[in-house]
Amino acid sequence: MKKKLASLALALVMALALLPTAASAAEPKSVKAGGITLSDVVVTDKYETAQELLDDSVPEYEFLYSLGMIGVWQEDIEEYGYGSFWCYIVPDDAEINFDLSGGKDAQVDLYTLKRVPDSSFKDDTYQADFVSGWKPADSVVDTWGVNRESIADAGDYDVLACWSGGDGPYYVAFASDFPPPAEFIDTPSWCAKEARWAVKKGITKGYGGQTTFAPGVECSQQEILTFLWRAAGELEAKEKSPFTVASWYQDAVDWAYEEGYIGDGFQADAPCTRAQAVTYIWKALGEKEAGKPAGFPDVAEDASYAAAADWAYEKGVVKSYGGTGDFAPDIVCSRGQIACMLYRAYN
């Protein structure tokens, strides 16, 4: 099996919670897999197949793996065989300990990753090229510890394949070296920079995959609140809100309710209008007063969003709608438009 791993195709199909950075995942912890203990593993959601991950049909699982697809060259039939695999994502200083008691042997195979185009998968595809095999210098000890520093002299590598006796391989990737998500392929020039900025800041991620952002899709109220919650540092509310929403929005909605951004009339799935968008952003950034009114003819002085619209116009967060001079408070915002508003507001 090991000798057939010289050229692999890894198509990583990671959902929002599966991005390989410790900052955006749950608290790291250690896990024992066979004869190997990995410390400070990034906790992600577990799915049994790639399709389940894409359908998000089993969100109740939490485990220590990140799902992907692996292609192994099968010499007897001269073609690749594909199947699911689990890849541990670990911080740079994580320790990997092999249990060598009972005469077990340990082996580490090192691979580099590069992105390759492949339309047969929904998300990023990587090719992993074999660099070298690596073994402990002292197999007498009961435990053999491996970390990034200890095998720095083995050359450039991105992924370890760990073996211990008959256990393995267990694929391990260091978070900082993992290839970043590809550029969005569906963002036009008017929002491409803003979408990339939002991803870099952890405010938003892909839509239906890592390579698509869906800039023209209507932004819901729970989505914009989630963006603002992430921008604020993903603070935890002390109490639950009266609203039950999908799990990936719940913490944000609870936070927004506690902060007073939303009230009892909140409709999570309702599309976010320009008036609501500037109000949410204005509140998140301290409800500052504009130097003078924006003078929008379609914004009454006593409108609930008037102060937010004045501030947003003065700060360049919004302009008049379509050059008409109006604010157009009831126009629904797309994801691309919201990304632009957030970029301007936070810069």
Side-chain angles (χ1 to χ4, degrees):
M1 177 69 173
K2 285 188 284 185
K3 296 184 182 300
K4 296 181 180 180
L5 294 176
S7 179
L8 309 179
L10 307 184
L12 301 179
V13 282
M14 294 181 180
L16 298 188
L18 298 182
L19 291 178
T21 58
S24 63
E27 284 299 312
K29 59 180 68 175
S30 63
V31 60
K32 186 167 184 178
I36 305 168
T37 299
L38 304 168
S39 62
D40 296 327
V41 176
V42 176
V43 179
T44 64
D45 290 335
K46 176 188 175 183
Y47 297 87
E48 294 298 336
T49 67
Q51 192 59 52
E52 283 185 348
L53 184 148
L54 295 171
D55 294 341
D56 200 28
S57 59
V58 285
E60 70 273 14
Y61 289 106
E62 280 201 351
F63 213 63
L64 303 168
Y65 303 100
S66 182
L67 181 66
M69 298 293 290
I70 185 170
V72 179
W73 180 254
Q74 299 171 302
E75 294 178 356
D76 52 343
I77 58 176
E78 296 187 347
E79 65 180 39
Y80 277 99
Y82 291 92
S84 300
F85 85 109
W86 308 115
C87 183
Y88 293 88
I89 309 297
V90 301
D92 279 350
D93 58 354
E95 186 83 6
I96 304 168
N97 293 305
F98 292 84
D99 179 7
L100 301 179
S101 61
K104 286 187 176 181
D105 194 11
Q107 170 77 29
V108 170
D109 293 333
L110 307 176
Y111 299 87
T112 57
L113 287 183
K114 64 181 178 181
R115 191 184 310 281
V116 294
D118 189 332
S119 60
S120 64
F121 293 106
K122 289 186 178 291
D123 287 74
D124 292 341
T125 300
Y126 304 96
Q127 178 174 317
D129 293 320
F130 180 76
V131 175
S132 65
W134 207 75
K135 298 176 71 68
D138 185 2
S139 58
V140 178
V141 297
D142 290 336
T143 302
W144 174 50
V146 178
N147 55 34
R148 172 167 280 298
E149 184 177 356
S150 68
I151 48 179
D153 60 349
D156 294 331
Y157 63 90
D158 301 305
V159 171
L160 311 177
C162 301
W163 308 73
S164 183
D167 297 319
Y170 297 99
Y171 295 96
V172 182
F174 293 96
S176 66
D177 282 352
F178 210 78
E183 293 284 323
F184 291 127
I185 61 176
D186 63 344
T187 47
S189 58
W190 63 267
C191 67
K193 175 180 68 175
E194 291 81 0
R196 286 195 299 270
W197 167 84
V199 171
K200 184 177 180 180
K201 295 294 183 181
I203 292 173
T204 183
K205 304 176 179 77
Y207 186 91
Q210 291 188 55
T211 59
T212 53
F213 181 70
V217 171
E218 290 183 349
C219 183
S220 69
Q221 293 196 44
Q222 59 192 355
E223 277 186 290
I224 187 173
L225 292 176
T226 301
F227 298 158
L228 293 170
W229 171 68
R230 290 173 181 156
E234 301 187 9
L235 302 175
E236 184 176 355
K238 295 178 181 178
E239 296 183 6
K240 296 292 184 181
S241 71
F243 310 107
T244 300
V245 297
S247 59
W248 48 88
Y249 300 127
Q250 190 65 60
D251 290 340
V253 169
D254 294 343
W255 166 80
Y257 184 78
E258 184 173 85
E259 294 293 323
Y261 300 169
I262 57 177
D264 293 338
F266 173 66
Q267 295 179 305
D269 292 322
C272 183
T273 65
R274 281 168 59 87
Q276 291 164 334
V278 297
T279 300
Y280 290 146
I281 296 171
W282 174 67
K283 288 182 176 181
L285 293 179
E287 301 186 22
K288 297 176 182 177
E289 187 176 346
K292 61 180 180 180
F296 291 121
D298 59 345
V299 178
E301 290 184 8
D302 60 350
S304 60
Y305 54 85
D310 291 341
W311 169 84
Y313 181 76
E314 181 175 272
K315 296 300 181 183
V317 177
V318 296
K319 303 174 183 178
S320 67
Y321 188 76
T324 62
D326 289 339
F327 176 64
D330 297 326
I331 293 293
V332 172
C333 297
S334 68
R335 284 170 53 86
Q337 290 168 337
I338 291 296
C340 289
M341 289 185 187
L342 293 172
Y343 175 82
R344 296 166 189 157
Y346 284 92
N347 288 280

